[in-house]
């Protein structure tokens, strides 16, 4: 914790703050004494959920607006010390079905955030939630930041363009921008309602509902999974660290698990059946296979490393949703 | 020429076909017997100019529309064999002043072209005019296709996102897409009217008008210059070559010249004075310094190499504009 700035009385704006990671971050920042304002569009499939701020809703300010609305955003970014830019379209398959919405949210709107800040609050610090998706299928493992950028879907292209804007606005305008490339994140407040947010949320929901889990392919694809508290910690230790500005850093986990192992760990806490089927064609075309990141660059600058094992994290996740799952599915 | 397909009776759509390179390509394709249709928005600063098709306007079909208009585009791409996607916002400095327009044209509209083709003409072949700008400041010379992508301006980011869509639509949908990364191109039909299209056009106009040419910096930045006929040839030899699909290739020239040398060569054909001033801040921030490309990958697949020296090309350029310059400035 010693490498974290003093967050008390910081004026923080969390864009996408009613979503999964944004709301966990909001909760933590409230505990640290920050003045937290949330911007969220409540677009139904993206995870915005008032249940995510249950219990601390009176300690934060919520503003319902869409980041595609440049006018309100230009007002909202003023008098803010730190912006966490967490809003995004994260579904890979949706980005192929509706590439324009993905483009508007993941690319155009990131430019809007930066232009608003450049004009009305150029001193603000911005931490951007990017994604491992821009690497595409790993050409080597673990994937470090020098790995070629080769997205396998529209989402990866748009997220990369969005991320590059942050780096550019640091280089050209000196703005304080850092990007974190997230891998599979899971935990309390995750979007579970539909199948739009990746296999982790889908599997957790099915496990809780006692419904069968179907794995596409052989289930041997290995991934690194980050529990949301560890990801929140990464955003916090990034803040105020000028050595990070202008670049993008991998998050990740030293433990890797296959999808089959993930399902097995889930089954320790819930009753369900599982089977495997061949990949559907549209998903096969954009599947990236094995992925795990080298996060040593980020660790060397910030000291961050994930503290939660997948087993422990899944136990906490199941416990959370067992208590208040009715708000999530 | 033996490595070129038979263009006679091919139905060709040139998007941005009233612009500099597009119109030169149109002229050549008419000579080769193609049925050429041009789409152009005539946006004043982007080079669309009816003078560019003077003399062969009766042999082509011109449709005035903007690629941001997805509805007309969806109709126009039907019953076409080959699309040359040449429309773009090319000004680096403009992309910083108005990043949204650059985004709409260089990124969003490329997605529109691909989506229209995917839905209404998935068998069409598309050759996309990309740019060396996405490499940013060279980390080594000559720059090959493995060079890191590190744009120094919004234009480079958006052009790269646009290019990645073409590669993705080949990978995922099997569409026949090839991208060529152009370097400094010059020649007849170049946009000369204002200062929006890079130093080459500006210098040529000033030379023709006998006005002083001002070089930013020491003028020692070395570049490779492609005469437009050579670039047109590159688009033609790319067409129908399935070994190129799904990738992007550098164009370039084995001869490199400093900006000072460029101005000296110009002065052989026109009377003007020249001087040097320090870089203005906004341009310095996005200047890329020395740049020249390794185009051996493209050469190895297609046999293409530029045939025109800078001296010869500038002579032809000055001759063209001396005859019909009144339509250009």
């Amino acid at each position: 914790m010693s490498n974290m700035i003093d967050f008390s009385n910081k004026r923080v704006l969390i864009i996408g703050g009613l979503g999964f990671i944004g709301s966990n971050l909001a909760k933590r920042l409230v505990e640290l004494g920050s003045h937290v304002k949330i911007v969220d569009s409540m677009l139904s499939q993206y995870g915005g959920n008032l249940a995510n701020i249950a219990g601390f809703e009176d300690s934060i300010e919520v503003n319902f607006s869409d980041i595609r609305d440049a006018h309100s955003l230009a007002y909202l970014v003023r008098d803010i010390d730190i912006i966490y830019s967490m809003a995004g379209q994260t579904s890979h398959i949706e980005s192929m079905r509706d590439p324009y919405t993905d483009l508007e949210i993941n690319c155009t709107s990131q430019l809007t955030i930066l232009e608003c800040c450049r004009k009305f609050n150029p001193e603000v610090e911005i931490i951007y939630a990017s994604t491992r998706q821009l690497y595409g299928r790993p050409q080597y493992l673990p994937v470090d930041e020098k790995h070629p950028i080769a997205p396998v879907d529209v989402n990866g292209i748009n997220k990369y363009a969005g991320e590059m804007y942050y780096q550019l606005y640091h280089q050209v305008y000196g703005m304080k921008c850092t990007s974190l490339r997230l891998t599979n994140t899971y935990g309390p407040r995750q979007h579970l309602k539909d199948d739009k947010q990746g296999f982790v949320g889908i599997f957790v929901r099915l496990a809780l509902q006692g419904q069968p889990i179907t794995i596409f392919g052989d289930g041997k694809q290995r991934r690194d999974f980050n529990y949301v508290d560890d990801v929140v910690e990464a955003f916090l230790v990034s803040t105020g660290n000028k050595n990070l500005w202008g670049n993008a850093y991998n998050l990740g986990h030293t433990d890797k698990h296959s999808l089959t192992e993930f399902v097995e760990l889930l089954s320790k806490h819930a009753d369900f059946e599982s089977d495997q089927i061949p990949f559907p064609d549209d998903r096969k075309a954009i599947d990236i296979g094995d992925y795990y990141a080298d996060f040593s660059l980020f660790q060397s600058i910030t000291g961050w490393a994930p503290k939660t094992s997948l087993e422990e994290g899944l136990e906490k996740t199941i416990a959370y949703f067992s208590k208040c799952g009715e708000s999530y599915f």
Side-chain angles (χ1 to χ4, degrees), chain A:
Chain A
M1 294 296 176
S2 58
N3 51 357
M4 200 182 285
I5 63 163
D6 178 8
F7 279 97
S8 60
N9 295 313
K10 292 287 186 203
R11 297 163 302 179
V12 176
L13 184 71
I14 306 179
I15 298 174
L18 290 176
F20 168 33
I21 305 171
S23 60
N24 280 283
L25 180 60
K27 183 169 185 290
R28 185 76 191 284
L29 284 165
V30 165
E31 291 161 6
L32 292 168
S34 296
H35 302 295
V36 177
K37 189 189 289 186
I38 277 173
V39 170
D40 206 290
S41 65
M42 293 293 280
L43 277 170
S44 62
Q45 69 273 35
Y46 297 165
N49 189 340
L50 284 169
N52 284 338
I53 55 169
F56 62 101
E57 62 269 58
D58 295 338
S59 307
I60 60 174
E61 194 181 329
V62 178
N63 186 90
F64 298 103
S65 58
D66 192 303
I67 48 172
R68 289 171 289 188
D69 166 10
H71 302 292
S72 64
L73 203 60
Y75 177 77
L76 290 162
V77 299
R78 298 176 206 213
D79 301 319
I80 294 288
D81 300 312
I82 307 154
I83 293 176
Y84 296 102
S85 176
M86 318 296 286
Q89 196 299 106
T90 63
S91 166
H92 310 315
I93 198 81
E94 270 302 299
S95 80
M96 301 304 290
R97 292 179 186 150
D98 177 8
Y100 292 105
T101 301
D102 193 279
L103 175 83
E104 283 176 3
I105 293 176
N106 291 330
C107 179
T108 313
S109 296
Q110 305 311 317
L111 187 60
T112 302
I113 292 168
L114 284 160
E115 279 287 287
C116 289
C117 291
R118 180 175 75 80
K119 289 176 188 158
F120 302 110
N121 189 2
E123 292 300 313
V124 72
E125 180 168 12
I126 314 176
I127 320 281
Y128 173 59
S130 184
T131 172
R132 63 119 205 272
Q133 192 67 9
L134 47 81
Y135 294 120
R137 288 183 192 93
Q139 296 172 22
Y140 57 82
L141 290 164
V143 172
D144 59 19
E145 290 85 353
K146 290 182 179 144
H147 185 284
I149 304 296
V152 295
D153 55 27
V154 166
N155 177 258
I157 294 173
N158 293 337
K159 285 293 287 189
Y160 186 49
E163 186 194 284
M164 283 196 288
Y165 293 139
Y166 285 94
Q167 289 159 43
L168 181 74
Y169 274 59
H170 172 74
Q171 289 159 30
V172 174
Y173 302 118
M175 288 174 62
K176 303 164 183 167
C177 305
T178 297
S179 297
L180 302 182
R181 292 177 181 165
L182 277 55
T183 182
N184 283 103
T185 308
Y186 70 100
R189 301 180 177 78
Q190 179 154 21
H191 182 70
L192 299 182
K193 199 165 251 165
D194 52 45
D195 293 356
K196 299 281 174 66
Q197 301 268 326
F199 73 90
V200 173
I202 299 170
F203 287 5
V204 169
R205 186 190 71 229
L206 293 171
L208 286 160
Q209 294 177 322
Q211 291 185 13
I213 291 180
T214 300
I215 295 174
F216 297 147
D218 61 11
K220 290 182 179 161
Q221 310 97 300
R222 297 173 78 208
R223 298 285 168 86
D224 49 356
F225 297 90
N226 276 148
Y227 184 63
V228 67
D229 285 3
D230 289 327
V231 173
V232 165
E233 185 85 5
F235 279 86
L236 296 179
V237 300
S238 298
T239 310
N241 191 333
K242 61 177 70 175
N243 297 318
L244 298 170
W245 295 343
N247 285 306
Y249 304 88
N250 288 345
L251 302 189
H253 205 296
T254 40
D255 297 339
K256 296 100 195 172
H257 297 276
S258 70
L259 269 58
T260 306
E261 286 167 10
F262 181 90
V263 172
E264 280 167 12
L265 284 173
L266 259 185
S267 70
K268 294 188 177 181
H269 308 287
D271 277 330
F272 59 87
E273 304 202 335
S274 66
D275 62 355
Q276 294 170 219
I277 62 166
F279 257 104
D281 284 347
D282 59 344
R283 289 180 189 268
K284 182 72 196 166
I286 63 170
D287 181 61
I288 63 166
D290 283 353
Y291 176 92
Y292 42 92
D294 178 344
F295 58 90
S296 60
L297 178 61
F298 184 63
Q299 187 172 28
S300 70
I301 300 176
T302 65
W304 178 88
K307 293 168 188 154
T308 314
S309 70
L310 182 58
E311 182 159 6
E312 183 190 347
L314 282 179
E315 188 177 347
K316 289 182 180 175
T317 304
I318 296 290
Y320 176 85
F321 286 113
S322 298
K323 207 186 299 177
C324 53
E326 73 283 356
S327 304
Y328 290 89
F329 47 86

